Amino acid sequence: MKKIINRADTFVKDTMEGIICAYGDKVKLLHNDFQVLVSNYPAKEGKVGVVTAGGSGHLPVFLGYVGKGLLDGCAVGEVFASPAAAKMADMIRACDRGNGVLCLFGNYNGDRFNFNMACEEVEFDDIQTKAVLIKDDVASSSQEHAKKRRGVAGMVYAFKIAGAAADNMMNLEEVAAVTTKALNNIRSMGVALSPCIVPKAGKPTFAIAEDEIEIGMGIHGEAGIEVRKMMTADEIAETLVNTITKDMPLKDGDEVSVMVNGLGGTPLEEQLIVYRKVHQILSRLRVSIGEYATSMEMAGLSVTIFKLDQELKELLQAPAETPFYTNSNK
């Protein structure tokens, strides 16, 4: 293992301290707890809180989207490991402004279990919560079993919609409803070219041959749909888009937002070459290309398609400012 770190057991703490050093005007630690990050921006009393949680190792997810117009708080665990329920409960309390908190997180066992406990705990403080699960990865389960799907890069769109809805002073039921509507129109799929190394493990999470590519690989190294011989950028784009649109058909006139997301080890040039083909296939409203939800240094990328109506379009375009996401609405 060759990584630019101090020690494997301080990886998360050092990362959090780096975020505060760099972006302390936007975010802060909750009570100096390096596992809980909250927004440093003022918020209206009565605004619904929007929070998430999950394992480290995916920057900018989850920490990079805490700020204005997106998340109010985020709790993180060790690399690829859920934070404790007590950390989540502390975060929920800190982000409640009297009208409840939306807990918006990926469909992973540890996160589900711990958020359930956290929400039960804050009920004793008379804090109302609602949980919305992110399940956008079409490769992780069939359409008939979509409730089992994993949450991947599409969560960035979900954070944006929920944050904008909360800033518009929608109530908790309304924020949850519009975020659920958004997620019903978000699909993602990825490919992996190489594994990553979790610092404490010190070895690759999986093995793949130099001339192979794994279709549908998860962001923690979960098995994909199949392993193929290496494909061209156009073939990758066509495979991902065609699989997504088969699951979520698009008709003439549909507006979409497209995200091409690098997994940590893929140059921006390669992402742009893939987007070139995606652009030829789809009409689109806007595009996001870069690293939005990574897996340490894994080489590969994902494509996310977000089908819009007028309400979702306006919420997506609403202003936001966080360490890793800025939308000036210009």
Side-chain angles (χ1 to χ4, degrees):
M1 180 177 71
K2 187 183 291 184
K3 290 181 178 289
I4 302 175
I5 62 175
N6 292 315
R7 300 193 313 273
D9 59 358
T10 65
F11 178 81
V12 177
K13 182 175 183 292
D14 291 350
T15 299
M16 295 293 275
E17 289 178 352
I19 288 175
I20 296 302
C21 289
Y23 307 108
D25 58 328
K26 297 178 174 67
V27 292
K28 60 186 177 183
L29 300 179
L30 179 63
H31 308 315
N32 293 317
D33 185 343
F34 71 87
Q35 287 189 272
V36 184
L37 197 70
V38 293
S39 174
N40 215 8
Y41 287 93
K44 296 178 182 177
E45 191 62 27
K47 185 190 90 69
V48 168
V50 182
V51 301
T52 195
S56 298
H58 300 300
L59 273 173
V61 166
F62 305 87
L63 303 164
Y65 303 114
V66 175
K68 183 179 181 181
L70 278 100
L71 299 171
D72 295 286
C74 173
V76 292
E78 291 295 326
V79 175
F80 298 175
S82 179
K87 304 288 185 182
M88 295 178 177
D90 288 343
M91 170 188 62
I92 292 169
R93 293 186 188 98
C95 296
D96 176 54
R97 299 179 183 86
N99 279 331
V101 176
L102 178 71
C103 300
L104 180 58
F105 55 98
N107 187 25
Y108 298 96
N109 290 336
D111 296 332
R112 288 201 314 269
F113 181 78
N114 288 333
F115 255 121
N116 285 340
M117 287 202 300
C119 291
E120 290 175 0
E121 183 177 332
V122 301
E123 284 181 4
F124 293 103
D125 301 312
D126 294 324
I127 297 174
Q128 185 182 5
T129 60
K130 273 196 168 295
V132 173
L133 288 174
I134 302 163
K135 298 171 285 190
D136 58 303
D137 185 2
V138 299
S140 57
S141 194
S142 66
Q143 193 172 47
E144 292 75 20
H145 299 96
K147 290 183 178 180
K148 296 181 180 180
R149 287 177 173 172
R150 302 180 292 248
V152 287
M155 66 178 63
V156 179
Y157 283 134
F159 295 159
K160 180 66 186 69
I161 297 304
D167 271 8
N168 285 350
M169 301 305 290
M170 293 184 180
N171 64 36
L172 183 57
E173 292 282 348
E174 292 168 335
V175 174
V178 74
T179 304
T180 299
K181 180 175 80 167
L183 285 166
N184 288 338
N185 289 281
I186 295 170
R187 302 289 191 279
S188 301
M189 186 174 173
V191 297
L193 280 67
S194 73
C196 65
I197 298 175
V198 175
K200 285 190 175 181
K203 59 183 180 180
T205 52
F206 63 92
I208 187 167
E210 285 294 321
D211 63 342
E212 292 180 338
I213 183 171
E214 183 143 1
I215 310 297
M217 171 70 72
I219 59 173
H220 304 102
E222 298 96 338
I225 298 173
E226 62 177 316
V227 175
R228 297 185 190 174
K229 292 299 181 181
M230 189 58 197
M231 304 158 67
T232 67
D234 284 0
E235 289 169 339
I236 291 170
E238 288 173 344
T239 298
L240 298 181
V241 171
N242 290 342
T243 304
I244 290 170
T245 54
K246 182 179 180 181
D247 193 271
M248 183 181 68
L250 300 174
K251 61 181 184 295
D252 289 344
D254 281 342
E255 284 190 301
V256 300
S257 184
V258 175
M259 177 185 294
V260 176
N261 168 62
L263 296 178
T266 301
L268 187 56
E269 290 90 344
E270 295 177 26
Q271 297 177 46
L272 285 163
I273 293 170
V274 169
Y275 177 69
R276 165 188 166 275
K277 186 61 178 180
V278 174
H279 180 81
Q280 292 171 4
I281 300 170
L282 296 172
S283 60
R284 50 88 178 170
L285 166 71
R286 53 181 287 166
V287 59
S288 299
I289 301 172
E291 294 186 339
Y292 294 89
T294 65
S295 183
M296 301 297 290
E297 75 276 31
M298 185 186 292
L301 54 78
S302 64
V303 170
T304 299
I305 298 175
F306 183 10
K307 184 166 63 174
L308 301 164
D309 62 14
Q310 188 59 36
E311 179 184 35
L312 295 175
K313 180 178 175 180
E314 291 175 1
L315 292 171
L316 182 62
Q317 292 178 320
E321 188 170 356
T322 75
F324 291 89
Y325 187 109
T326 298
N327 185 8
S328 62
N329 197 22
K330 292 181 180 178

